Amino acid sequence: MTNQDDTNTLIIIEDEYAHAELLKIYLTDNSNRWNILTVTSLGEYNNLLKSTTPSIVLADINLPDGSSLSLLEKKNEFPILIMTSHADDEMAQNALKSGAADFILKSPETFKKMQLIISGALEKWKSIKM
């Protein structure tokens, strides 16, 4: 799948189906602002990158084939937000120091605010890159 206009493409890397579906529900609105693509592993994500350039990536930290922190090891042309169900301050600090645009603790409250969280991270990223 090649995306002609990648300005609104969001890739969700999440191996828990219920979490991925909840994120899609909270991120989908009548404006069709996001073209949401979901994958369940780093391998699937890397394959998807061959044909799609996202505007932003929302990645669960622990995936079946590794840690999404590995995505921060290379320079990316888009922000990557890391999320987890269980975190401590050290984990969050490591992710942010490594280049994560944000570190998100999964909860019903943050899922409800995800549209604002992602929009804010994308705006911040664009202002830094200008």
PDB file of all heavy atoms in Angstrom, residues 48-72:
ATOM      1  N   LEU A  48       5.983  -2.303   6.509  1.00  0.00           N
ATOM      2  CA  LEU A  48       5.058  -1.234   6.148  1.00  0.00           C
ATOM      3  C   LEU A  48       5.805   0.034   5.740  1.00  0.00           C
ATOM      4  O   LEU A  48       5.392   0.749   4.828  1.00  0.00           O
ATOM      5  CB  LEU A  48       4.105  -0.945   7.313  1.00  0.00           C
ATOM      6  CG  LEU A  48       3.022   0.101   7.096  1.00  0.00           C
ATOM      7  CD1 LEU A  48       2.112  -0.275   5.929  1.00  0.00           C
ATOM      8  CD2 LEU A  48       2.202   0.277   8.365  1.00  0.00           C
ATOM      9  N   LEU A  49       6.928   0.296   6.387  1.00  0.00           N
ATOM     10  CA  LEU A  49       7.716   1.492   6.061  1.00  0.00           C
ATOM     11  C   LEU A  49       8.271   1.463   4.637  1.00  0.00           C
ATOM     12  O   LEU A  49       8.623   2.514   4.097  1.00  0.00           O
ATOM     13  CB  LEU A  49       8.864   1.677   7.045  1.00  0.00           C
ATOM     14  CG  LEU A  49       8.517   2.219   8.421  1.00  0.00           C
ATOM     15  CD1 LEU A  49       9.787   2.436   9.230  1.00  0.00           C
ATOM     16  CD2 LEU A  49       7.709   3.502   8.353  1.00  0.00           C
ATOM     17  N   LYS A  50       8.325   0.304   4.029  1.00  0.00           N
ATOM     18  CA  LYS A  50       8.804   0.207   2.649  1.00  0.00           C
ATOM     19  C   LYS A  50       7.837   0.864   1.668  1.00  0.00           C
ATOM     20  O   LYS A  50       8.242   1.286   0.590  1.00  0.00           O
ATOM     21  CB  LYS A  50       9.020  -1.258   2.265  1.00  0.00           C
ATOM     22  CG  LYS A  50      10.142  -1.917   3.052  1.00  0.00           C
ATOM     23  CD  LYS A  50      10.229  -3.390   2.737  1.00  0.00           C
ATOM     24  CE  LYS A  50      11.277  -4.065   3.623  1.00  0.00           C
ATOM     25  NZ  LYS A  50      11.284  -5.526   3.418  1.00  0.00           N
ATOM     26  N   SER A  51       6.578   0.978   2.063  1.00  0.00           N
ATOM     27  CA  SER A  51       5.576   1.539   1.156  1.00  0.00           C
ATOM     28  C   SER A  51       4.837   2.749   1.710  1.00  0.00           C
ATOM     29  O   SER A  51       4.057   3.367   1.000  1.00  0.00           O
ATOM     30  CB  SER A  51       4.550   0.460   0.798  1.00  0.00           C
ATOM     31  OG  SER A  51       3.882   0.012   1.964  1.00  0.00           O
ATOM     32  N   THR A  52       5.071   3.087   2.951  1.00  0.00           N
ATOM     33  CA  THR A  52       4.332   4.173   3.595  1.00  0.00           C
ATOM     34  C   THR A  52       5.265   4.988   4.478  1.00  0.00           C
ATOM     35  O   THR A  52       6.069   4.420   5.211  1.00  0.00           O
ATOM     36  CB  THR A  52       3.199   3.604   4.482  1.00  0.00           C
ATOM     37  OG1 THR A  52       2.341   2.811   3.664  1.00  0.00           O
ATOM     38  CG2 THR A  52       2.385   4.703   5.122  1.00  0.00           C
ATOM     39  N   THR A  53       5.120   6.293   4.405  1.00  0.00           N
ATOM     40  CA  THR A  53       5.838   7.169   5.325  1.00  0.00           C
ATOM     41  C   THR A  53       4.798   7.796   6.252  1.00  0.00           C
ATOM     42  O   THR A  53       3.942   8.542   5.798  1.00  0.00           O
ATOM     43  CB  THR A  53       6.596   8.279   4.570  1.00  0.00           C
ATOM     44  OG1 THR A  53       7.502   7.670   3.664  1.00  0.00           O
ATOM     45  CG2 THR A  53       7.354   9.168   5.542  1.00  0.00           C
ATOM     46  N   PRO A  54       4.876   7.480   7.524  1.00  0.00           N
ATOM     47  CA  PRO A  54       3.868   8.012   8.451  1.00  0.00           C
ATOM     48  C   PRO A  54       4.135   9.470   8.824  1.00  0.00           C
ATOM     49  O   PRO A  54       5.255   9.967   8.680  1.00  0.00           O
ATOM     50  CB  PRO A  54       4.025   7.117   9.671  1.00  0.00           C
ATOM     51  CG  PRO A  54       5.467   6.719   9.652  1.00  0.00           C
ATOM     52  CD  PRO A  54       5.827   6.592   8.199  1.00  0.00           C
ATOM     53  N   SER A  55       3.099  10.098   9.323  1.00  0.00           N
ATOM     54  CA  SER A  55       3.246  11.420   9.932  1.00  0.00           C
ATOM     55  C   SER A  55       3.697  11.264  11.366  1.00  0.00           C
ATOM     56  O   SER A  55       4.419  12.103  11.899  1.00  0.00           O
ATOM     57  CB  SER A  55       1.913  12.163   9.921  1.00  0.00           C
ATOM     58  OG  SER A  55       1.427  12.286   8.620  1.00  0.00           O
ATOM     59  N   ILE A  56       3.255  10.169  11.998  1.00  0.00           N
ATOM     60  CA  ILE A  56       3.531   9.932  13.406  1.00  0.00           C
ATOM     61  C   ILE A  56       3.335   8.448  13.695  1.00  0.00           C
ATOM     62  O   ILE A  56       2.555   7.773  13.004  1.00  0.00           O
ATOM     63  CB  ILE A  56       2.614  10.822  14.296  1.00  0.00           C
ATOM     64  CG1 ILE A  56       3.084  10.844  15.742  1.00  0.00           C
ATOM     65  CG2 ILE A  56       1.159  10.454  14.137  1.00  0.00           C
ATOM     66  CD1 ILE A  56       2.481  11.992  16.561  1.00  0.00           C
ATOM     67  N   VAL A  57       4.048   7.946  14.707  1.00  0.00           N
ATOM     68  CA  VAL A  57       3.951   6.536  15.093  1.00  0.00           C
ATOM     69  C   VAL A  57       3.643   6.464  16.581  1.00  0.00           C
ATOM     70  O   VAL A  57       4.239   7.176  17.391  1.00  0.00           O
ATOM     71  CB  VAL A  57       5.273   5.784  14.782  1.00  0.00           C
ATOM     72  CG1 VAL A  57       5.243   4.370  15.345  1.00  0.00           C
ATOM     73  CG2 VAL A  57       5.533   5.769  13.283  1.00  0.00           C
ATOM     74  N   LEU A  58       2.725   5.584  16.918  1.00  0.00           N
ATOM     75  CA  LEU A  58       2.351   5.316  18.303  1.00  0.00           C
ATOM     76  C   LEU A  58       2.684   3.849  18.556  1.00  0.00           C
ATOM     77  O   LEU A  58       2.083   2.968  17.944  1.00  0.00           O
ATOM     78  CB  LEU A  58       0.864   5.591  18.497  1.00  0.00           C
ATOM     79  CG  LEU A  58       0.261   5.369  19.873  1.00  0.00           C
ATOM     80  CD1 LEU A  58       0.938   6.257  20.914  1.00  0.00           C
ATOM     81  CD2 LEU A  58      -1.230   5.654  19.829  1.00  0.00           C
ATOM     82  N   ALA A  59       3.699   3.596  19.407  1.00  0.00           N
ATOM     83  CA  ALA A  59       4.207   2.234  19.552  1.00  0.00           C
ATOM     84  C   ALA A  59       4.175   1.742  20.987  1.00  0.00           C
ATOM     85  O   ALA A  59       4.654   2.421  21.892  1.00  0.00           O
ATOM     86  CB  ALA A  59       5.644   2.178  19.035  1.00  0.00           C
ATOM     87  N   ASP A  60       3.626   0.559  21.186  1.00  0.00           N
ATOM     88  CA  ASP A  60       3.709  -0.113  22.476  1.00  0.00           C
ATOM     89  C   ASP A  60       5.170  -0.454  22.711  1.00  0.00           C
ATOM     90  O   ASP A  60       5.892  -0.828  21.776  1.00  0.00           O
ATOM     91  CB  ASP A  60       2.851  -1.373  22.447  1.00  0.00           C
ATOM     92  CG  ASP A  60       2.784  -2.074  23.787  1.00  0.00           C
ATOM     93  OD1 ASP A  60       2.999  -1.415  24.822  1.00  0.00           O
ATOM     94  OD2 ASP A  60       2.512  -3.286  23.802  1.00  0.00           O
ATOM     95  N   ILE A  61       5.632  -0.323  23.930  1.00  0.00           N
ATOM     96  CA  ILE A  61       7.059  -0.528  24.214  1.00  0.00           C
ATOM     97  C   ILE A  61       7.481  -1.985  24.074  1.00  0.00           C
ATOM     98  O   ILE A  61       8.551  -2.280  23.546  1.00  0.00           O
ATOM     99  CB  ILE A  61       7.440   0.044  25.599  1.00  0.00           C
ATOM    100  CG1 ILE A  61       8.964   0.189  25.711  1.00  0.00           C
ATOM    101  CG2 ILE A  61       6.866  -0.785  26.715  1.00  0.00           C
ATOM    102  CD1 ILE A  61       9.421   1.014  26.885  1.00  0.00           C
ATOM    103  N   ASN A  62       6.649  -2.914  24.522  1.00  0.00           N
ATOM    104  CA  ASN A  62       6.991  -4.337  24.492  1.00  0.00           C
ATOM    105  C   ASN A  62       6.192  -5.033  23.399  1.00  0.00           C
ATOM    106  O   ASN A  62       4.964  -5.103  23.468  1.00  0.00           O
ATOM    107  CB  ASN A  62       6.701  -4.990  25.848  1.00  0.00           C
ATOM    108  CG  ASN A  62       7.617  -4.459  26.921  1.00  0.00           C
ATOM    109  OD1 ASN A  62       8.823  -4.356  26.734  1.00  0.00           O
ATOM    110  ND2 ASN A  62       7.044  -4.102  28.056  1.00  0.00           N
ATOM    111  N   LEU A  63       6.922  -5.552  22.429  1.00  0.00           N
ATOM    112  CA  LEU A  63       6.295  -6.222  21.288  1.00  0.00           C
ATOM    113  C   LEU A  63       6.849  -7.645  21.187  1.00  0.00           C
ATOM    114  O   LEU A  63       7.897  -7.943  21.766  1.00  0.00           O
ATOM    115  CB  LEU A  63       6.574  -5.431  20.015  1.00  0.00           C
ATOM    116  CG  LEU A  63       5.959  -4.028  20.029  1.00  0.00           C
ATOM    117  CD1 LEU A  63       6.585  -3.138  18.969  1.00  0.00           C
ATOM    118  CD2 LEU A  63       4.450  -4.117  19.844  1.00  0.00           C
ATOM    119  N   PRO A  64       6.175  -8.526  20.472  1.00  0.00           N
ATOM    120  CA  PRO A  64       6.623  -9.921  20.408  1.00  0.00           C
ATOM    121  C   PRO A  64       8.056 -10.084  19.898  1.00  0.00           C
ATOM    122  O   PRO A  64       8.746 -11.019  20.298  1.00  0.00           O
ATOM    123  CB  PRO A  64       5.633 -10.570  19.439  1.00  0.00           C
ATOM    124  CG  PRO A  64       4.455  -9.676  19.404  1.00  0.00           C
ATOM    125  CD  PRO A  64       4.948  -8.299  19.715  1.00  0.00           C
ATOM    126  N   ASP A  65       8.513  -9.188  19.042  1.00  0.00           N
ATOM    127  CA  ASP A  65       9.850  -9.339  18.461  1.00  0.00           C
ATOM    128  C   ASP A  65      10.843  -8.281  18.933  1.00  0.00           C
ATOM    129  O   ASP A  65      11.861  -8.038  18.289  1.00  0.00           O
ATOM    130  CB  ASP A  65       9.776  -9.380  16.937  1.00  0.00           C
ATOM    131  CG  ASP A  65       9.062  -8.188  16.331  1.00  0.00           C
ATOM    132  OD1 ASP A  65       8.465  -7.386  17.081  1.00  0.00           O
ATOM    133  OD2 ASP A  65       9.090  -8.051  15.096  1.00  0.00           O
ATOM    134  N   GLY A  66      10.552  -7.644  20.071  1.00  0.00           N
ATOM    135  CA  GLY A  66      11.515  -6.699  20.627  1.00  0.00           C
ATOM    136  C   GLY A  66      10.870  -5.486  21.260  1.00  0.00           C
ATOM    137  O   GLY A  66       9.655  -5.409  21.416  1.00  0.00           O
ATOM    138  N   SER A  67      11.720  -4.532  21.582  1.00  0.00           N
ATOM    139  CA  SER A  67      11.270  -3.295  22.212  1.00  0.00           C
ATOM    140  C   SER A  67      11.158  -2.186  21.170  1.00  0.00           C
ATOM    141  O   SER A  67      12.055  -2.026  20.335  1.00  0.00           O
ATOM    142  CB  SER A  67      12.263  -2.875  23.292  1.00  0.00           C
ATOM    143  OG  SER A  67      11.973  -1.562  23.735  1.00  0.00           O
ATOM    144  N   SER A  68      10.102  -1.418  21.253  1.00  0.00           N
ATOM    145  CA  SER A  68       9.946  -0.302  20.311  1.00  0.00           C
ATOM    146  C   SER A  68      10.975   0.794  20.567  1.00  0.00           C
ATOM    147  O   SER A  68      11.152   1.676  19.732  1.00  0.00           O
ATOM    148  CB  SER A  68       8.522   0.259  20.355  1.00  0.00           C
ATOM    149  OG  SER A  68       8.232   0.749  21.639  1.00  0.00           O
ATOM    150  N   LEU A  69      11.674   0.736  21.688  1.00  0.00           N
ATOM    151  CA  LEU A  69      12.757   1.696  21.921  1.00  0.00           C
ATOM    152  C   LEU A  69      13.829   1.579  20.842  1.00  0.00           C
ATOM    153  O   LEU A  69      14.538   2.544  20.552  1.00  0.00           O
ATOM    154  CB  LEU A  69      13.369   1.508  23.305  1.00  0.00           C
ATOM    155  CG  LEU A  69      12.456   1.838  24.489  1.00  0.00           C
ATOM    156  CD1 LEU A  69      13.175   1.550  25.799  1.00  0.00           C
ATOM    157  CD2 LEU A  69      11.973   3.275  24.438  1.00  0.00           C
ATOM    158  N   SER A  70      13.923   0.409  20.215  1.00  0.00           N
ATOM    159  CA  SER A  70      14.897   0.232  19.130  1.00  0.00           C
ATOM    160  C   SER A  70      14.591   1.142  17.941  1.00  0.00           C
ATOM    161  O   SER A  70      15.491   1.478  17.166  1.00  0.00           O
ATOM    162  CB  SER A  70      14.941  -1.228  18.680  1.00  0.00           C
ATOM    163  OG  SER A  70      13.710  -1.604  18.080  1.00  0.00           O
ATOM    164  N   LEU A  71      13.350   1.569  17.806  1.00  0.00           N
ATOM    165  CA  LEU A  71      12.972   2.475  16.715  1.00  0.00           C
ATOM    166  C   LEU A  71      13.626   3.845  16.873  1.00  0.00           C
ATOM    167  O   LEU A  71      13.769   4.593  15.908  1.00  0.00           O
ATOM    168  CB  LEU A  71      11.449   2.657  16.656  1.00  0.00           C
ATOM    169  CG  LEU A  71      10.614   1.397  16.488  1.00  0.00           C
ATOM    170  CD1 LEU A  71       9.132   1.740  16.549  1.00  0.00           C
ATOM    171  CD2 LEU A  71      10.967   0.694  15.188  1.00  0.00           C
ATOM    172  N   LEU A  72      14.012   4.162  18.096  1.00  0.00           N
ATOM    173  CA  LEU A  72      14.594   5.472  18.385  1.00  0.00           C
ATOM    174  C   LEU A  72      16.099   5.511  18.111  1.00  0.00           C
ATOM    175  O   LEU A  72      16.703   6.579  18.179  1.00  0.00           O
ATOM    176  CB  LEU A  72      14.321   5.840  19.844  1.00  0.00           C
ATOM    177  CG  LEU A  72      12.850   5.831  20.259  1.00  0.00           C
ATOM    178  CD1 LEU A  72      12.725   6.018  21.759  1.00  0.00           C
ATOM    179  CD2 LEU A  72      12.052   6.869  19.494  1.00  0.00           C
TER     180      LEU A  72
END
